mmCIF file of all heavy atoms in Angstrom:
data_model
loop_
_atom_site.group_PDB
_atom_site.id
_atom_site.type_symbol
_atom_site.label_atom_id
_atom_site.label_comp_id
_atom_site.label_asym_id
_atom_site.label_seq_id
_atom_site.Cartn_x
_atom_site.Cartn_y
_atom_site.Cartn_z
ATOM 1 N N LEU A 58 165.335 247.386 46.011
ATOM 2 C CA LEU A 58 165.404 246.192 46.858
ATOM 3 C C LEU A 58 166.768 245.525 46.780
ATOM 4 O O LEU A 58 167.174 244.818 47.718
ATOM 5 C CB LEU A 58 164.303 245.187 46.461
ATOM 6 C CG LEU A 58 162.857 245.657 46.675
ATOM 7 C CD1 LEU A 58 161.873 244.564 46.281
ATOM 8 C CD2 LEU A 58 162.617 246.085 48.116
ATOM 9 N N SER A 59 167.487 245.728 45.679
ATOM 10 C CA SER A 59 168.796 245.062 45.617
ATOM 11 C C SER A 59 169.936 245.941 46.126
ATOM 12 O O SER A 59 171.099 245.525 46.063
ATOM 13 C CB SER A 59 169.074 244.500 44.218
ATOM 14 O OG SER A 59 168.749 245.448 43.263
ATOM 15 N N ASP A 60 169.610 247.108 46.690
ATOM 16 C CA ASP A 60 170.647 247.919 47.328
ATOM 17 C C ASP A 60 170.981 247.293 48.695
ATOM 18 O O ASP A 60 170.181 247.354 49.640
ATOM 19 C CB ASP A 60 170.149 249.371 47.508
ATOM 20 C CG ASP A 60 171.203 250.268 48.139
ATOM 21 O OD1 ASP A 60 172.213 249.735 48.661
ATOM 22 O OD2 ASP A 60 171.021 251.499 48.126
ATOM 23 N N GLY A 61 172.143 246.695 48.797
ATOM 24 C CA GLY A 61 172.561 246.000 50.016
ATOM 25 C C GLY A 61 172.712 246.921 51.223
ATOM 26 O O GLY A 61 172.770 246.452 52.368
ATOM 27 N N GLU A 62 172.796 248.222 50.981
ATOM 28 C CA GLU A 62 172.938 249.188 52.080
ATOM 29 C C GLU A 62 171.618 249.410 52.826
ATOM 30 O O GLU A 62 171.611 249.905 53.948
ATOM 31 C CB GLU A 62 173.370 250.554 51.523
ATOM 32 C CG GLU A 62 174.710 250.546 50.836
ATOM 33 C CD GLU A 62 175.823 250.715 51.844
ATOM 34 O OE1 GLU A 62 175.910 251.797 52.425
ATOM 35 O OE2 GLU A 62 176.573 249.734 52.056
ATOM 36 N N VAL A 63 170.512 249.108 52.122
ATOM 37 C CA VAL A 63 169.193 249.422 52.703
ATOM 38 C C VAL A 63 168.794 248.367 53.739
ATOM 39 O O VAL A 63 168.751 247.180 53.459
ATOM 40 C CB VAL A 63 168.120 249.512 51.583
ATOM 41 C CG1 VAL A 63 166.719 249.623 52.165
ATOM 42 C CG2 VAL A 63 168.418 250.677 50.662
ATOM 43 N N ASP A 64 168.509 248.845 54.972
ATOM 44 C CA ASP A 64 168.087 247.940 56.060
ATOM 45 C C ASP A 64 166.569 247.823 56.146
ATOM 46 O O ASP A 64 166.031 246.795 56.533
ATOM 47 C CB ASP A 64 168.564 248.483 57.418
ATOM 48 C CG ASP A 64 170.053 248.720 57.461
ATOM 49 O OD1 ASP A 64 170.789 247.723 57.400
ATOM 50 O OD2 ASP A 64 170.482 249.906 57.544
ATOM 51 N N ILE A 65 165.894 248.961 55.867
ATOM 52 C CA ILE A 65 164.438 249.032 56.103
ATOM 53 C C ILE A 65 163.761 249.583 54.849
ATOM 54 O O ILE A 65 164.181 250.622 54.330
ATOM 55 C CB ILE A 65 164.120 249.994 57.276
ATOM 56 C CG1 ILE A 65 164.817 249.546 58.572
ATOM 57 C CG2 ILE A 65 162.610 250.128 57.481
ATOM 58 C CD1 ILE A 65 164.914 250.645 59.632
ATOM 59 N N VAL A 66 162.706 248.882 54.395
ATOM 60 C CA VAL A 66 161.907 249.404 53.280
ATOM 61 C C VAL A 66 160.572 249.873 53.844
ATOM 62 O O VAL A 66 159.924 249.163 54.627
ATOM 63 C CB VAL A 66 161.702 248.320 52.198
ATOM 64 C CG1 VAL A 66 160.662 248.767 51.164
ATOM 65 C CG2 VAL A 66 163.025 248.018 51.505
ATOM 66 N N VAL A 67 160.191 251.092 53.460
ATOM 67 C CA VAL A 67 158.900 251.642 53.885
ATOM 68 C C VAL A 67 157.969 251.611 52.683
ATOM 69 O O VAL A 67 158.311 252.142 51.621
ATOM 70 C CB VAL A 67 159.058 253.107 54.367
ATOM 71 C CG1 VAL A 67 157.698 253.680 54.763
ATOM 72 C CG2 VAL A 67 160.046 253.190 55.517
ATOM 73 N N CYS A 68 156.809 250.987 52.842
ATOM 74 C CA CYS A 68 155.837 250.932 51.752
ATOM 75 C C CYS A 68 154.767 251.988 52.002
ATOM 76 O O CYS A 68 153.976 251.873 52.951
ATOM 77 C CB CYS A 68 155.217 249.528 51.684
ATOM 78 S SG CYS A 68 153.926 249.431 50.443
ATOM 79 N N ALA A 69 154.762 253.026 51.161
ATOM 80 C CA ALA A 69 153.809 254.143 51.325
ATOM 81 C C ALA A 69 153.061 254.387 50.021
ATOM 82 O O ALA A 69 152.978 255.512 49.535
ATOM 83 C CB ALA A 69 154.551 255.395 51.791
ATOM 84 N N THR A 70 152.537 253.314 49.472
ATOM 85 C CA THR A 70 151.780 253.381 48.215
ATOM 86 C C THR A 70 150.293 253.218 48.550
ATOM 87 O O THR A 70 149.938 252.888 49.690
ATOM 88 C CB THR A 70 152.244 252.243 47.280
ATOM 89 O OG1 THR A 70 152.066 251.015 47.983
ATOM 90 C CG2 THR A 70 153.704 252.410 46.887
ATOM 91 N N PRO A 71 149.390 253.400 47.576
ATOM 92 C CA PRO A 71 147.959 253.184 47.862
ATOM 93 C C PRO A 71 147.705 251.779 48.419
ATOM 94 O O PRO A 71 148.463 250.832 48.161
ATOM 95 C CB PRO A 71 147.307 253.409 46.495
ATOM 96 C CG PRO A 71 148.224 254.380 45.815
ATOM 97 C CD PRO A 71 149.604 253.953 46.222
ATOM 98 N N ASN A 72 146.609 251.666 49.144
ATOM 99 C CA ASN A 72 146.371 250.481 49.980
ATOM 100 C C ASN A 72 146.367 249.146 49.229
ATOM 101 O O ASN A 72 146.803 248.128 49.760
ATOM 102 C CB ASN A 72 145.036 250.651 50.716
ATOM 103 C CG ASN A 72 145.050 251.875 51.607
ATOM 104 O OD1 ASN A 72 146.113 252.372 51.967
ATOM 105 N ND2 ASN A 72 143.877 252.369 51.981
ATOM 106 N N ASP A 73 145.891 249.134 47.979
ATOM 107 C CA ASP A 73 145.798 247.864 47.255
ATOM 108 C C ASP A 73 147.148 247.340 46.790
ATOM 109 O O ASP A 73 147.253 246.182 46.387
ATOM 110 C CB ASP A 73 144.857 248.006 46.040
ATOM 111 C CG ASP A 73 145.360 249.060 45.057
ATOM 112 O OD1 ASP A 73 145.906 250.087 45.503
ATOM 113 O OD2 ASP A 73 145.219 248.848 43.835
ATOM 114 N N SER A 74 148.182 248.169 46.860
ATOM 115 C CA SER A 74 149.488 247.715 46.356
ATOM 116 C C SER A 74 150.445 247.282 47.474
ATOM 117 O O SER A 74 151.565 246.856 47.200
ATOM 118 C CB SER A 74 150.136 248.828 45.516
ATOM 119 O OG SER A 74 150.216 250.024 46.266
ATOM 120 N N HIS A 75 150.009 247.371 48.718
ATOM 121 C CA HIS A 75 150.917 247.053 49.831
ATOM 122 C C HIS A 75 151.422 245.608 49.800
ATOM 123 O O HIS A 75 152.609 245.352 50.012
ATOM 124 C CB HIS A 75 150.215 247.283 51.181
ATOM 125 C CG HIS A 75 149.922 248.730 51.465
ATOM 126 N ND1 HIS A 75 149.173 249.135 52.544
ATOM 127 C CD2 HIS A 75 150.272 249.876 50.821
ATOM 128 C CE1 HIS A 75 149.069 250.465 52.549
ATOM 129 N NE2 HIS A 75 149.724 250.930 51.510
ATOM 130 N N LYS A 76 150.475 244.683 49.558
ATOM 131 C CA LYS A 76 150.813 243.265 49.721
ATOM 132 C C LYS A 76 152.019 242.852 48.870
ATOM 133 O O LYS A 76 153.004 242.303 49.385
ATOM 134 C CB LYS A 76 149.602 242.406 49.370
ATOM 135 C CG LYS A 76 149.844 240.924 49.544
ATOM 136 C CD LYS A 76 148.604 240.136 49.172
ATOM 137 C CE LYS A 76 148.966 238.930 48.356
ATOM 138 N NZ LYS A 76 147.804 238.222 47.833
ATOM 139 N N ASP A 77 151.974 243.131 47.566
ATOM 140 C CA ASP A 77 153.049 242.665 46.673
ATOM 141 C C ASP A 77 154.377 243.336 47.005
ATOM 142 O O ASP A 77 155.429 242.685 46.993
ATOM 143 C CB ASP A 77 152.681 242.946 45.208
ATOM 144 C CG ASP A 77 151.532 242.058 44.746
ATOM 145 O OD1 ASP A 77 151.205 241.096 45.467
ATOM 146 O OD2 ASP A 77 150.952 242.347 43.677
ATOM 147 N N ILE A 78 154.316 244.625 47.330
ATOM 148 C CA ILE A 78 155.565 245.354 47.618
ATOM 149 C C ILE A 78 156.189 244.832 48.914
ATOM 150 O O ILE A 78 157.397 244.573 48.993
ATOM 151 C CB ILE A 78 155.294 246.883 47.689
ATOM 152 C CG1 ILE A 78 154.899 247.397 46.300
ATOM 153 C CG2 ILE A 78 156.504 247.634 48.242
ATOM 154 C CD1 ILE A 78 154.330 248.796 46.276
ATOM 155 N N VAL A 79 155.337 244.630 49.922
ATOM 156 C CA VAL A 79 155.839 244.147 51.221
ATOM 157 C C VAL A 79 156.458 242.753 51.064
ATOM 158 O O VAL A 79 157.565 242.490 51.564
ATOM 159 C CB VAL A 79 154.693 244.145 52.275
ATOM 160 C CG1 VAL A 79 155.066 243.318 53.493
ATOM 161 C CG2 VAL A 79 154.347 245.577 52.676
#
Side-chain angles (χ1 to χ4, degrees):
L58 296 182
S59 46
D60 181 347
E62 298 275 293
V63 171
D64 305 293
I65 301 162
V66 169
V67 178
C68 176
T70 57
N72 300 340
D73 60 323
S74 55
H75 292 173
K76 182 180 137 187
D77 291 347
I78 293 168
V79 165

